[in-house]
Amino acid sequence: MNVRRRTVLHGLLGASALVAAPAILRAQAGPMKIGFLTVKTGPLASGGIQMEQGLTLYLKERNNVLAGRPVQLFTGDSAGAPAVARTKMQEFVEKEGIACLIGPLATAEALAIDDYIRDKQIPTLSVAAAEDMTQRKANPWFCRATSTSAQCSYAMGDYAAKELKYKRVAMIADDIAYGYELNAGFQRTFEDAGGKVVQKLWPPLNAPDYGTYIAQLKTNVDAIFIGFAGSNGLKFLRQYKEYGGKTPLLGGMTAIDESLLKQMGDEAIGALSTCWYSAQLDNASNKKLVAGMQRDYKVDPGFYAAATYTNAAVLEAALKQIDARIEDKDALIKALRGIKVAETCRGPVSFDKYGNVVGNVYIRKVEKKGGALVNSVIKTYPNVSQFWSYDADAFLKKPVYNRESWPENKNIEP
């Protein structure tokens, strides 16, 4: 057999060039490695499962291909525990070699992996609403297409004071950072408009029963603002009605979620809530999401499914801008933060310089349509930023929202 020297040299040179090529270029021939951190067990599991459903549906609609490259998805269950979230994240990076992360769900989880994301420079599209991840301690590798904890609550505080004409409100929320921050947004705009928050109650995240807290709620108020995550909103609402509660309820963005409405009865009708999403939104992307969720999972999408569906849309748009070079971390995070997507299931989105979304916030009302409970949109606040209408520099000089001192509890009554 005669072998031509030029052919051999050409082959050797080609192989050498391939070995010497940057890892980014070599990786483009294979699938994109994406980590997905969610919650499948514990009190936040109902939200975590919908997160997985929303992301699975988005990838299924595209035959598991984004921007022309197949996706290899690595899924981890954090159980809502910060330490577990960190361990799973380390496994994703050090064992699986992921190029970016979608998730986690909870504020405490995001804070637990914050320094690791920075150190390993992993572009992260998170569902967690931790305020300071895009504020005073902004993580340059973090991008949030949903909202901060307080972002939607600002709209509800404004609406309650100016349109509902409420003057006095009590608040009850999970005793975690998410609860503090979510309540704070409502309190600031409500009190700025002349209202008073006269009571705050903080049940633990895993409270088995809300009876003792419901008994403490003031009755001489116009409404009760509830800030619960996961299935806790459903548990509270059921017990509140069982105990004969009559005061109107105003829900934070996860308290009266579509993922829970199917399990609620007529006692939920009329309840108002605020969120960046409603399954009733009339746009093509949302109609596709709703149809897919109803077909595959027999449920309307809520906050958590829409969150991962939106994050995936933002990621896909960014990947198209950089020719699917997901391994080029600098290019990816620059594209993510600079992207403007005209239509997602939640509506148009863009991002501020801290990596947080600017987008619509909706006031919703529980109604019955076709025999099912839905969150109908009754008002839209367009282009809401994480700073509401406050000056960003002045905002960031204040501490992060907390349980004890900010906002000031100046109107709390014994």
Side-chain angles (χ1 to χ4, degrees):
M1 178 178 175
N2 294 322
V3 180
R4 297 174 62 183
R5 183 172 180 271
R6 181 174 293 180
T7 303
V8 173
L9 286 174
H10 180 77
L12 290 173
L13 288 171
S16 298
L18 180 61
V19 171
I24 291 172
L25 297 178
R26 298 200 307 272
Q28 286 186 61
M32 295 187 284
K33 294 186 175 183
I34 298 174
F36 174 50
L37 197 54
T38 189
V39 180
K40 296 186 179 182
T41 52
L44 301 177
S46 63
I49 290 168
Q50 270 229 339
M51 278 176 63
E52 185 170 35
Q53 291 170 345
L55 182 57
T56 299
L57 182 61
Y58 193 91
L59 293 175
K60 177 183 176 182
E61 291 170 353
R62 289 152 181 80
N63 296 316
N64 213 48
V65 173
L66 296 180
R69 286 182 64 184
V71 173
Q72 186 175 5
L73 189 69
F74 299 90
T75 299
D77 174 17
S78 69
V84 177
R86 188 177 179 91
T87 298
K88 295 291 184 182
M89 184 63 185
Q90 290 174 321
E91 290 177 3
F92 284 163
V93 174
E94 296 165 24
K95 181 180 178 182
E96 309 298 351
I98 65 166
C100 77
L101 176 74
I102 295 177
L105 183 154
T107 292
E109 295 176 291
L111 293 173
I113 64 174
D114 179 27
D115 62 331
Y116 190 80
I117 293 171
R118 295 171 190 262
D119 181 54
K120 300 299 181 180
Q121 299 182 343
I122 304 298
T124 298
L125 292 129
S126 186
V127 174
E131 299 272 312
D132 256 2
M133 296 287 283
T134 58
Q135 291 180 9
R136 297 154 199 82
K137 302 174 183 177
N139 186 323
W141 299 98
F142 190 87
C143 188
R144 180 165 41 217
T146 48
S147 74
T148 67
S149 306
Q151 196 166 350
C152 294
S153 298
Y154 293 128
M156 180 58 87
D158 184 83
Y159 185 82
K162 295 179 180 177
E163 301 202 27
L164 298 177
K165 307 300 181 183
Y166 289 163
K167 300 298 183 185
R168 294 165 51 83
V169 167
M171 311 180 85
I172 182 168
D174 294 317
D175 193 7
I176 55 176
Y178 172 68
Y180 312 149
E181 294 171 2
L182 183 139
N183 275 16
F186 177 94
Q187 182 181 347
R188 280 197 74 181
T189 53
F190 184 65
E191 293 191 336
D192 284 350
K196 292 182 178 181
V197 171
V198 298
Q199 182 182 36
K200 295 181 181 179
L201 297 178
W202 306 104
L205 178 65
N206 59 354
D209 184 273
Y210 291 111
T212 56
Y213 295 95
I214 292 171
Q216 297 176 57
L217 285 167
K218 293 182 179 294
T219 57
N220 62 340
V221 292
D222 298 311
I224 299 168
F225 182 83
I226 59 176
F228 295 109
S231 60
N232 287 349
L234 171 64
K235 288 165 53 181
F236 174 83
L237 187 63
R238 281 180 174 171
Q239 288 191 278
Y240 182 72
K241 297 300 181 182
E242 287 172 2
Y243 279 80
K246 301 294 185 184
T247 306
L249 299 177
L250 304 176
M253 61 184 176
T254 50
I256 306 176
D257 190 61
E258 277 88 350
S259 64
L260 306 174
L261 283 179
K262 192 173 182 179
Q263 304 171 61
M264 294 181 179
D266 288 352
E267 71 275 4
I269 293 176
L272 299 180
S273 63
T274 180
C275 191
W276 48 265
Y277 176 74
S278 167
Q280 297 295 297
L281 292 176
D282 186 15
N283 67 62
S285 178
N286 189 49
K287 288 178 179 178
K288 194 170 186 178
L289 168 60
V290 171
M293 288 290 291
Q294 290 176 341
R295 179 192 66 237
D296 293 355
Y297 306 110
K298 314 304 178 189
V299 66
D300 279 346
F303 174 102
Y304 301 99
T308 48
Y309 201 83
T310 301
N311 276 330
V314 169
L315 176 60
E316 183 178 32
L319 287 170
K320 288 179 178 178
Q321 281 195 0
I322 62 171
D323 299 322
R325 291 179 291 112
I326 195 170
E327 293 82 10
D328 188 338
K329 299 175 181 180
D330 291 322
L332 178 58
I333 195 65
K334 183 179 179 180
L336 286 171
R337 289 183 159 207
I339 202 80
K340 291 184 179 180
V341 186
E343 184 179 292
T344 71
C345 64
R346 64 164 292 175
V349 300
S350 60
F351 296 87
D352 64 21
K353 67 178 182 179
Y354 301 98
N356 194 73
V357 71
V358 177
N360 294 346
V361 171
Y362 308 99
I363 303 298
R364 316 175 306 178
K365 183 177 183 178
V366 177
E367 297 178 342
K368 182 170 281 189
K369 291 185 179 179
L373 297 179
V374 300
N375 276 320
S376 295
V377 174
I378 59 175
K379 185 177 177 65
T380 300
Y381 286 82
N383 300 317
V384 176
S385 94
Q386 63 177 327
F387 303 113
W388 185 242
S389 59
Y390 303 113
D391 177 77
D393 291 337
F395 186 105
L396 293 173
K397 289 178 182 178
K398 295 285 188 178
V400 67
Y401 292 134
N402 57 73
R403 174 174 168 166
E404 303 299 337
S405 61
W406 181 243
E408 297 176 38
N409 294 319
K410 57 187 178 183
N411 295 308
I412 297 297
E413 299 173 357

